[in-house]
Amino acid sequence: MDGAAAGTEAAPAAATHSEAALAAVTRKVTWRILPFLMLCYFIAFVDRVNAGFAALQMNHDVGISASAFGLGGGLFYVSYVLCEVPSNLAMERVGARLWIARIMISWGLVSGLMAAVVGPYSFYAVRLLLGAAEAGFFPGVILYLTYWFPAEARGRIVAIFMVAIPVSSFLGSPISAALLGTDGWLGLHGWQWLFVLEAVPAVALGIASLAVLPDGPRDAAWLSPAERELLRERLARDGARPKPAGGHLSLWRVLSNPYVLAASLIYAGASGASQCLSLWQPQIIKSFALSTSATGWLNALPFGIASVLMVLWGRNSDRTRERVWHTALPLALLAGSLCAALLTDALPPTMVLLCLAVTATYVFKGPFWALSTEWLAAGAAAAGIAQINAMGNIGGFVGTSLLGVIKDATGSYALGLMPIAALSAAGLVAVLALGRGPRAAAAAEVGSPARPRA
């Protein structure tokens, strides 16, 4: 009796010790790789959307209309989508360290080429090249994080990583506005200096990543053998759980899996709104007859709010172990705030609605990617994550392009936001429908009654 009781007491104690050790390893990994990845994504997003500020001068200087700017902004996502899945599959073969370095160096070089734009067609060409160069970075990092972090930590970790996006606009907006003031230096326009100077960090960080990023825990010299083994065991346990998108599927079956397709639709609304607002918001704010400097500071405001709230929302999703409603509620807020923009043409309420919409697009991201990676088995993760991100970014092409066309036709930015509002509403319906019945889908796909955590 006494021996049995002692054994019963020892088991919880051992489990508690193991969880404490895992938490310590997770903290160590977080501090070693996450700040660098956040810095890389910060620069990536600055280079992706700095055309929004450059447009305040560039469009007039080289003769780019609102429709042409919207089309060029959207063309980024065409090449981005086409190259996304191949890029993630290549990263699995080549290794994260080399592939992430390749992406960063190439996108930095292409971003600098934006300074050579002389009209709509050269703008289209460089945006297409930039999409191809950057393709694979974000889904590659999401995949890379699954090599290091157990499932229960991913909502928080992804949210912390993705805070680099709103921070890039929060800090980058006044910096980009200031760089436009360099007009005339060495015979270059301010928008040309903006592209050149903001391209340099991407190349430098790409080179640095070769020294900073291991391919995975087994290559991390800063982890002890015991720490590597503890992490390996926990990740293997996560990988053994049944998933709706199972592991032994062909590439085509992964890409056509109903969960992958539905997750792509869910992501399209929030991602499309995020990309669209990042590129067009400076012009929306400038339309209220503000100075370039005031536009820069006001443009930063929604992203500053989003930077804080997305981390808190991701932590709450992890704490409650709930994903579906933490994904659905931001989509509802996004669709509602975009539709409400039709009701005002004054600056203060417009800024309130922009703050709500931008915040919704970012708080959505952590819970959504945690939910998506829980749906995908290890063998399906590389292609599945890339497919979701690639197809989701079609929303960026649709929203960015249509806003320009609608603005030219009607003179209204608010009307131009309606396609994205409709896409967000469709994503809301999809995530609620998908969250209701994962048990049957999991059983049908992998022959197990297990239900993935929502």
Side-chain angles (χ1 to χ4, degrees), residues 24-225:
V25 174
T26 300
R27 283 194 298 272
K28 189 174 185 178
V29 169
T30 300
W31 284 108
R32 291 301 294 254
I33 68 171
L34 205 56
F36 183 79
L37 291 172
M38 290 177 66
L39 180 59
C40 292
Y41 201 36
F42 171 93
I43 296 300
F45 217 79
V46 166
D47 288 347
R48 182 189 298 189
V49 303
N50 57 9
F53 264 96
L56 301 179
Q57 291 181 353
M58 176 183 69
N59 289 5
H60 175 268
D61 288 348
V62 300
I64 297 176
S65 67
S67 296
F69 180 76
L71 176 59
L75 284 174
F76 170 94
Y77 301 102
V78 173
S79 52
Y80 187 90
V81 166
L82 292 174
C83 297
E84 193 85 317
V85 173
S87 178
N88 238 32
L89 295 176
M91 191 184 93
E92 274 209 313
R93 294 188 179 93
V94 173
R97 186 175 63 93
L98 286 175
W99 199 247
I100 289 175
R102 193 283 305 164
I103 292 172
M104 293 173 62
I105 293 169
S106 62
W107 99 51
L109 295 174
V110 173
S111 182
L113 284 177
M114 285 292 294
V117 165
V118 295
Y121 295 108
S122 56
F123 178 58
Y124 300 158
V126 180
R127 288 292 292 183
L128 279 168
L129 286 174
L130 187 62
E134 192 188 321
F137 179 77
F138 172 74
V141 170
I142 295 296
L143 178 63
Y144 185 63
L145 292 176
T146 68
Y147 298 167
W148 295 91
F149 294 100
E152 63 268 19
R154 288 178 196 160
R156 179 179 73 257
I157 293 298
V158 171
I160 293 172
F161 165 66
M162 295 191 74
V163 82
I165 308 176
V167 167
S168 69
S169 293
F170 176 66
L171 298 179
S173 293
I175 293 172
S176 294
L179 287 175
L180 292 179
T182 61
D183 198 52
W185 287 11
L186 301 178
L188 296 178
H189 296 289
W191 61 268
Q192 291 176 307
W193 278 116
L194 183 155
F195 286 126
V196 170
L197 294 176
E198 291 186 347
V200 172
V203 177
L205 286 170
I207 295 170
S209 68
L210 295 171
V212 174
L213 296 179
D215 282 326
R218 69 181 182 278
D219 302 309
W222 37 268
L223 288 178
S224 69

Side-chain angles (χ1 to χ4, degrees), residues 430-451:
V431 74
L432 291 176
L434 209 61
R436 289 176 58 188
R439 182 187 301 272
E445 187 64 61
V446 298
S448 167
R451 183 181 188 272

Side-chain angles (χ1 to χ4, degrees), residues 213-298:
L213 296 179
D215 282 326
R218 69 181 182 278
D219 302 309
W222 37 268
L223 288 178
S224 69
E227 289 171 330
R228 286 196 289 269
E229 180 61 20
L230 179 63
L231 201 54
R232 186 199 66 77
E233 287 179 357
R234 174 51 65 92
L235 294 173
R237 193 187 315 165
D238 288 343
R241 294 173 182 166
K243 317 283 184 174
H248 301 290
L249 302 178
S250 67
L251 176 61
W252 171 248
R253 288 192 65 196
V254 171
L255 300 187
S256 61
N257 182 274
Y259 273 73
V260 174
L261 293 175
S264 300
L265 173 63
I266 294 164
Y267 191 54
S271 177
S274 174
Q275 313 292 5
C276 186
L277 290 173
S278 294
L279 202 61
W280 279 101
Q281 189 170 273
Q283 294 179 70
I284 294 173
I285 296 172
K286 189 74 163 61
S287 69
F288 289 94
L290 300 174
S291 68
T292 299
S293 176
T295 298
W297 288 108
L298 278 180

